[in-house]
Amino acid sequence: MSHKIAVIGGDGIGPEVVHEALKVVRAAGVHFEATDFDLGGQRYLRDGEVLSDDTLHTLRSFDAILLGAVGTPEVPPGVIERGLLLKMRFELDLYINQRPFLGIAPGHERPHDFVVIRENTEGPYVGEGGVLRKGTINEVATQGSVNTRMGVERCIRYAFQLAASRERKHLTLVHKTNVLTFAGDLWQRTFNEVAKEFPKVDTAYNHVDAACIYFVQDPHRYDVIVTDNLFGDILTDLGGAVSGGIGLASSANLNPARTGPSMFEPVHGSAPDIVGTGKANPTAAILSAALMCDFLGEHAAANHIREACTEPTEGSTIDIGNAIAARLHKH
Ligand code: IPM
Ligand code: MN
């Protein structure tokens, strides 16, 4: 079967790393038809399109979206992030952001294989709020956080299902229930209720500030973590940093209900400072493509790709892509 993949290389190093990721997927024997979408900061500067409803409609007909990175220093913060990335997450209902940390960096002997499940459609990301008397000394800015029972519950249930399927069967809720008492209470109660459906899963709770200490000092305590959108954003950068660097951190923006395509992207950004130098590590994009293969039912290819990424590889972006692809050709 040939999968229809929409490719958004985006800005900066995005197109470079996505090119290597597609090379590796091809080498893994997965049949696909890739269609390029010219979107991101550079496209916006050219003709003003961020993500039109027409383009979004076209994207809906694909099996998956592979994205490199978007954002460019010439465009004010938020325009591309909200208008492209978050618009896809919200409109395609990609309510799970799954970010595995495999600990495959040199010197890490599989030290902490854990995964963060980040809620991806609510919290402070919804853009609720506003500003009054802008630019005056009486300026007021509010930024709300939306947490719905439905949104919290479907995220927590997904995390329990994932934890139940893993060897350790351990799930930690991370929040800030001692300060964010309204949202925290909804998350904790929902967590406790859903836990009853999964008696084999051991559970724990950490405040997000304490979780930052454990990520650095004792990551072995974690198997699966579930958390809200903003805490998940911050914690997964830290997760990348403590498990070999952001150049290895992959992510899947999932619509588990499969009412549309899911989107796969490295956690890192467009890194305009190193574009064209060959310094970008394509491994995060390659591992994101492995997550895509999993979601498309190509589990053998996904596992082979992950295996091929565990051997340390040196060199330029293209060298690393070629080396990983070459390991797969041997299968
Ligand atoms: C991420 C990124 C995005 C986020 C930005 C670019 C909007 O940091 O995917 O982690 O905050 O979710
Ligand atoms: Mn982030």
Side-chain angles (χ1 to χ4, degrees), residues 173-189 205-211 231:
L173 170 66
V174 170
H175 208 282
K176 186 72 183 173
T177 54
N178 53 347
V179 174
L180 306 183
T181 50
F182 309 126
D185 181 53
L186 174 58
W187 276 82
Q188 183 73 73
R189 266 185 297 115
Y205 170 80
N206 290 160
H207 291 317
V208 64
D209 47 349
F231 296 145

Side-chain angles (χ1 to χ4, degrees), residues 36-248:
D36 277 308
F37 284 80
D38 177 15
L39 296 169
Q42 291 307 325
R43 166 74 190 271
Y44 171 71
L45 288 171
R46 225 169 40 247
D47 70 6
E49 161 144 5
V50 182
L51 176 63
S52 67
D53 291 340
D54 273 356
T55 309
L56 185 65
H57 181 76
T58 311
L59 284 174
R60 284 185 198 278
S61 65
F62 284 80
D63 298 320
I65 303 166
L66 185 65
L67 184 139
V70 292
T72 189
E74 298 97 310
V75 179
V79 175
I80 308 298
E81 289 87 342
R82 291 214 78 85
L84 178 57
L85 203 57
L86 300 190
K87 187 167 174 179
M88 283 195 285
R89 288 179 185 170
F90 290 132
E91 294 292 327
L92 300 173
D93 205 19
L94 308 176
Y95 62 88
I96 297 297
N97 197 324
Q98 183 159 336
R99 298 187 157 179
F101 298 97
L102 302 171
I104 57 173
H108 288 240
E109 287 156 30
R110 299 199 71 74
H112 32 262
D113 172 5
F114 62 97
V115 45
V116 175
I117 299 300
R118 161 185 176 189
E119 201 293 319
N120 213 30
T121 55
E122 300 193 341
Y125 276 70
V126 297
E128 188 208 73
V131 61
L132 269 177
R133 309 188 206 99
K134 188 165 179 166
T136 73
I137 54 160
N138 295 316
E139 180 163 347
V140 181
T142 63
Q143 193 90 50
S145 172
V146 171
N147 299 263
T148 70
R149 171 70 198 213
M150 179 279 292
V152 170
E153 187 174 328
R154 65 184 180 172
C155 176
I156 286 175
R157 183 167 286 106
Y158 180 90
F160 268 104
Q161 282 162 350
L162 179 67
S165 75
R166 287 166 62 94
E167 208 181 307
R168 276 181 64 193
K169 306 196 191 318
H170 189 276
L171 179 64
T172 306
L173 170 66
V174 170
H175 208 282
K176 186 72 183 173
T177 54
N178 53 347
V179 174
L180 306 183
T181 50
F182 309 126
D185 181 53
L186 174 58
W187 276 82
Q188 183 73 73
R189 266 185 297 115
T190 307
F191 186 83
N192 296 347
E193 282 170 35
V194 177
K196 292 184 194 137
E197 298 167 26
F198 296 89
K200 292 205 172 88
V201 176
D202 277 336
T203 60
Y205 170 80
N206 290 160
H207 291 317
V208 64
D209 47 349
C212 290
I213 301 177
Y214 300 140
F215 262 53
V216 176
Q217 294 190 345
D218 183 25
H220 299 268
R221 69 171 58 214
Y222 294 123
D223 179 24
V224 182
I225 290 165
V226 64
T227 191
D228 102 326
N229 207 340
L230 184 58
F231 296 145
D233 175 47
I234 299 165
L235 270 181
T236 52
D237 267 23
L238 185 57
V242 298
S243 50
I246 204 78
L248 301 178

Side-chain angles (χ1 to χ4, degrees), residues 8-50:
I8 304 174
D11 300 309
I13 61 169
E16 302 171 22
V17 295
V18 152
H19 186 261
E20 300 312 308
L22 290 174
K23 183 190 286 177
V24 168
V25 173
R26 210 170 286 119
V30 175
H31 297 288
F32 64 88
E33 187 192 312
T35 307
D36 277 308
F37 284 80
D38 177 15
L39 296 169
Q42 291 307 325
R43 166 74 190 271
Y44 171 71
L45 288 171
R46 225 169 40 247
D47 70 6
E49 161 144 5
V50 182

